[in-house]
Amino acid sequence: MYKDIATPKRTQEILKKYGFSIKKSLGQNFLIDPNILQNIVSHANLTKESAVIEIGPGIGALTEHLARKAGQVVAVEIDQRLLPVLEDTLSPYDNIEIIHSDILKTNVEDVIQEKLAGYKDIMVVANLPYYVTTPILIKLLMEKLPIRGMVVMMQKEVADRITASPSTKAYGSLSIAIQYYMKAEIAMTVPRTVFIPQPNVDSAVIKLTRHETSPVDVLDEDFLFKVSRSSFAQRRKTILNNLQSQLPLGKEKKEVILAALAEANVDPTRRGETLSIQEFGNLANILLPNFK
Ligand code: SAM
């Protein structure tokens, strides 16, 4: 086996060799602990029949661990300066392809069709750039890609919000937006000391797994997210008051919302944070015809 990229010593050597200056604006915090990397990869349950899409390979620390377990890895990196570095560090592996692109502007469905044809088991695995964690996740989920799930590292506070259950402080519209698409759980927490440079927050790895059956049949996903965002607009307000002040539902607004809440079996004095995804989904379906 080749020597790991992600030891503190080798990482420093690589950065020095290329005179690479880390760009904080691109969320560049490189992992320097091979045990943590192995642990992350183990949560993805990869075999040689699996393919992986990685976002932000950096200098290849996670990428090489993925390549050892999976059949094929495609990694999307925005920073052109990393391309020659990756070509060097990942040269021992013949099952990695690097795409120089912004993941937010990449048609991932095309990538899967063009680069991963033949793979039925596809996972997204990444140590995400923290400044764009949420937009990346939402984009990938809304595209309804043919993936089994994701194992992704992010700032712990965001991981807590994504995986939160109703009636907890962290539960909110982000929990609903993600959990509507996939089951979400925290796989492990990661201290800030295993990165170069050290971020000023702790991190967590979350595991997202495609639902076997959708938690609720929703007529209009955008409207579900609008209703949930509106319900959390002011956390201390009741769901009735929040919906009334946030949603354009015509003149008879209050009556429409009260009737919909009654039909959905939701007490109007409850707060948004107590509603499950199923309750939000039913409520959105009932309110939809009145939405102008
Ligand atoms: N995977 C490496 C590791 O674990 O050490 C690096 C992870 S670092 C937290 C995030 C990486 O994402 C950086 O390499 C950064 O250049 C890249 N990146 C930032 N924004 C990106 C974007 N919009 N699309 C693709 N890659 C991006």
Side-chain angles (χ1 to χ4, degrees):
M1 207 29 73
Y2 310 100
K3 67 176 178 170
D4 275 314
I5 295 168
T7 60
K9 188 165 171 265
R10 176 116 194 266
T11 299
Q12 294 289 13
E13 275 169 15
I14 293 166
L15 296 178
K16 198 166 159 217
K17 176 171 172 192
Y18 287 90
F20 187 83
S21 57
I22 282 172
K23 263 198 194 158
K24 278 196 176 166
S25 61
L26 288 179
Q28 291 178 341
N29 297 98
F30 299 144
L31 271 166
I32 48 161
D33 186 329
N35 293 325
I36 300 258
L37 286 162
Q38 269 170 27
N39 220 336
I40 296 173
V41 174
S42 71
H43 285 287
N45 297 323
L46 302 172
T47 70
K48 286 288 164 189
E49 310 287 299
S50 317
V52 176
I53 298 167
E54 187 195 2
I55 298 141
I59 60 169
L62 176 58
T63 324
E64 70 171 353
H65 282 266
L66 294 167
R68 288 174 192 167
K69 295 282 180 207
Q72 181 69 35
V73 180
V74 175
V76 179
E77 174 56 59
I78 197 171
D79 188 349
Q80 187 160 19
R81 301 172 309 149
L82 287 166
L83 301 186
V85 183
L86 288 163
E87 202 172 305
D88 176 7
T89 58
L90 298 176
S91 61
Y93 303 90
D94 61 4
N95 59 343
I96 299 172
E97 185 163 346
I98 306 292
I99 298 178
H100 174 221
S101 176
D102 177 345
I103 188 68
L104 293 174
K105 297 187 184 141
T106 306
N107 185 330
V108 182
E109 175 122 43
D110 283 355
V111 169
I112 291 175
Q113 270 178 23
E114 284 161 26
K115 315 273 185 202
L116 301 176
Y119 282 96
K120 290 199 180 75
D121 183 49
I122 303 176
M123 286 293 284
V124 170
V125 184
N127 170 15
L128 291 171
Y130 293 180
Y131 75 106
V132 275
T133 299
T134 310
I136 291 175
L137 290 179
I138 299 280
K139 172 193 191 280
L140 296 179
L141 291 169
M142 288 187 80
E143 283 175 0
K144 300 196 166 56
L145 303 168
I147 57 174
R148 168 160 58 88
M150 306 194 205
V151 173
V152 278
M153 174 136 78
M154 62 194 63
Q155 167 174 352
K156 171 135 191 333
E157 184 258 328
V158 179
D160 286 339
R161 288 200 281 132
I162 286 177
T163 57
S165 307
S167 298
T168 61
K169 219 170 130 192
Y171 186 64
S173 48
L174 183 61
S175 328
I176 290 156
I178 306 282
Q179 292 176 34
Y180 169 72
Y181 293 108
M182 290 199 178
K183 185 176 139 220
E185 57 198 327
I186 293 203
M188 57 197 266
T189 54
V190 180
R192 59 192 82 182
T193 48
V194 297
F195 299 89
I196 286 182
Q198 284 190 22
N200 42 23
V201 291
D202 286 325
S203 300
V205 175
I206 67 167
K207 182 168 179 175
L208 300 178
T209 315
R210 175 188 287 281
H211 292 299
E212 301 216 331
T213 50
S214 176
V216 57
D217 285 329
V218 166
L219 300 170
D220 180 330
E221 288 173 5
D222 285 344
F223 189 60
L224 162 67
F225 301 141
K226 208 177 207 43
V227 169
S228 76
R229 269 198 313 274
S230 303
S231 306
F232 289 102
Q234 291 197 41
R235 290 185 78 99
R236 299 183 59 80
K237 275 193 179 180
T238 63
I239 181 141
L240 172 63
N241 284 342
N242 267 329
L243 292 181
Q244 224 182 315
S245 65
Q246 300 293 320
L247 287 182
L249 291 168
K251 267 199 193 139
E252 309 289 310
K253 207 191 239 191
K254 186 168 182 188
E255 289 68 27
V256 166
I257 296 169
L258 278 171
L261 287 167
E263 195 180 332
N265 246 323
V266 175
D267 185 320
T269 63
R270 281 172 63 184
R271 290 187 184 156
E273 67 198 36
T274 68
L275 269 71
S276 65
I277 293 193
Q278 288 78 4
E279 287 177 311
F280 273 118
N282 290 337
L283 188 60
N285 286 346
I286 296 166
L287 281 171
L288 184 63
N290 297 286
F291 181 60
K292 318 233 183 295

